[in-house]
Amino acid sequence: MIALPAFRTLLIAATALGLSFSAGHAADDFDLGPQQPGRLHAARNDAAIAAIPKDFKFVTPGKLTIAVSPGGPPLATYATDAKTVIGADPDYAYAIADSLGLTLEILPVAWIDWPLGLTSGKYDAVISNVGVTEQRKEKFDFSTYRQGLHGFFVKSDSPIASIKEPKDAAGLRVIVSAGTNQERILLRWSDEDVAAGLKPIELQYYDDEAASLIALHSGRADVIVQPHAQLVFIAARDKNIKRVGTLSAGWPDRSDVAIATRKGSGLADALTIATNGLIRDGTYVEILHHWHLTEEALPSSETNPPGLPKY
């Protein structure tokens, strides 16, 4: 997640290095205003509506109450009015509500609080970049709507053109956050490189996103690996980094992001049907394209697919 203190630290450090990291640059690529005139509306999906259990009780009758964590653009953030939640996840929530013939009610929550709030019935579902894991499936149902991707990004003038597999990263200095899934995967990549007679990957750790970007631009590191969506926004904002590859959160398998609902509530199948309807009619990919996240598109939605295993 992108935190406001990190932005402030970044601006101070960037000024010292002569770098331009103004949030205003993102206006050319992302509309962060509260009105959101480009938001798409979806058609009513009778099959999805019919799949809602007759005994399911919405938090507010006639409304779909969705919890969203405004952690940072382009997934979800506060608009320029500092109160309206906008982004790819809210837009997707609006489309799902349209499909179900309901009015959307967005409830901003801290990401760490969504499991308790969902279990206690404060909202009907969570649409907030929640990855499917086997541990979470014990308590929640899931309807997938996006791939969980991490991005490999380098300086715009870097000679590195593509990172798709372990050998492409051999010997590179890669910035990654400690204790993350991407760190776990990159350690496995490095082991594979060494076993193949190649140089290991040198992992670097910094306290925050600001320090990571400064390290990349100062030449102390070659690559930064973070959740893909975060880096897409930074690339659009700063105009000085580029994507050279993506990494599935479930490498070597695909790992998906999903709508979370209460276990056994019966709502997941309706949401899966609604998502597949949005995929078929093109609304889904238009939403992702609008927020520069086309790479994260799924071919179809599934209810409770295999998730990341317990480690």
Side-chain angles (χ1 to χ4, degrees):
M1 299 295 179
I2 300 174
L4 288 177
F7 276 121
R8 297 191 188 102
T9 304
L10 175 58
L11 289 172
I12 293 170
T15 300
L17 286 180
L19 301 175
S20 175
F21 288 159
S22 170
H25 287 299
D28 295 337
D29 300 274
F30 294 95
D31 175 12
L32 301 182
Q35 291 80 18
Q36 294 295 296
R39 178 177 290 136
L40 296 173
H41 293 281
R44 178 186 173 98
N45 186 325
D46 291 334
I49 294 171
I52 300 172
K54 301 302 180 185
D55 60 350
F56 183 84
K57 295 186 183 300
F58 289 95
V59 171
T60 302
K63 292 185 176 182
L64 180 64
T65 303
I66 298 291
V68 177
S69 175
L75 294 181
T77 190
Y78 285 107
T80 53
D81 65 356
K83 62 180 181 181
T84 304
V85 180
I86 61 169
D89 280 348
D91 277 7
Y92 174 69
Y94 275 103
I96 288 292
D98 287 344
S99 298
L100 299 181
L102 299 168
T103 300
L104 180 65
E105 182 78 22
I106 289 182
L107 184 61
V109 301
W111 200 88
I112 197 172
D113 293 336
W114 73 259
L116 180 59
L118 184 56
T119 301
S120 63
K122 290 184 178 180
Y123 23 87
D124 301 309
V126 178
I127 299 180
S128 196
N129 201 40
V130 178
V132 181
T133 70
E134 290 303 308
Q135 185 170 2
R136 288 175 182 159
K137 281 168 61 179
E138 294 174 359
K139 296 183 178 181
F140 305 101
D141 287 328
F142 292 98
S143 302
T144 60
Y145 70 96
R146 239 183 38 242
Q147 290 190 62
L149 292 182
H150 305 303
F152 292 102
F153 280 66
V154 299
K155 289 198 301 182
S156 295
D157 59 357
S158 171
I160 300 170
S162 177
I163 299 177
K164 295 182 179 179
E165 55 186 321
K167 66 181 181 64
D168 299 331
L172 296 181
R173 299 166 298 169
V174 180
I175 298 169
V176 67
S177 296
T180 60
N181 196 47
Q182 54 265 38
E183 180 199 28
R184 179 186 61 80
I185 295 170
L186 288 173
L187 287 171
R188 290 175 59 189
W189 276 32
S190 186
D191 289 343
E192 288 192 16
D193 285 336
V194 171
L198 302 173
K199 292 182 179 179
I201 300 171
E202 179 187 317
L203 300 186
Q204 297 186 4
Y205 305 91
Y206 294 90
D207 291 337
D208 56 33
E209 182 179 88
S212 297
L213 291 171
I214 296 301
L216 183 68
H217 285 286
S218 66
R220 297 198 302 273
D222 303 305
V223 186
I224 184 171
V225 178
Q226 278 185 203
H228 174 254
Q230 293 178 0
L231 291 171
V232 164
F233 180 79
I234 292 169
R237 181 191 69 198
D238 300 345
K239 313 294 186 185
N240 53 16
I241 62 173
K242 64 181 180 180
R243 180 179 55 231
V244 293
T246 57
L247 173 68
S248 172
W251 182 89
D253 301 315
R254 195 180 77 200
S255 176
D256 295 340
V257 171
I259 311 173
T261 51
R262 289 185 294 280
K263 190 72 177 178
S265 70
L267 190 59
D269 284 339
L271 297 174
T272 299
I273 293 170
T275 298
N276 281 322
L278 296 173
I279 291 172
R280 284 193 299 271
D281 70 16
T283 303
Y284 168 81
V285 74
E286 287 189 53
I287 292 171
L288 292 182
H289 177 73
H290 179 72
W291 292 101
H292 298 216
L293 297 175
T294 307
E295 290 80 10
E296 300 190 9
L298 288 174
S300 63
S301 175
E302 297 179 79
T303 299
N304 292 329
L308 291 178
K310 298 179 182 179
Y311 295 109

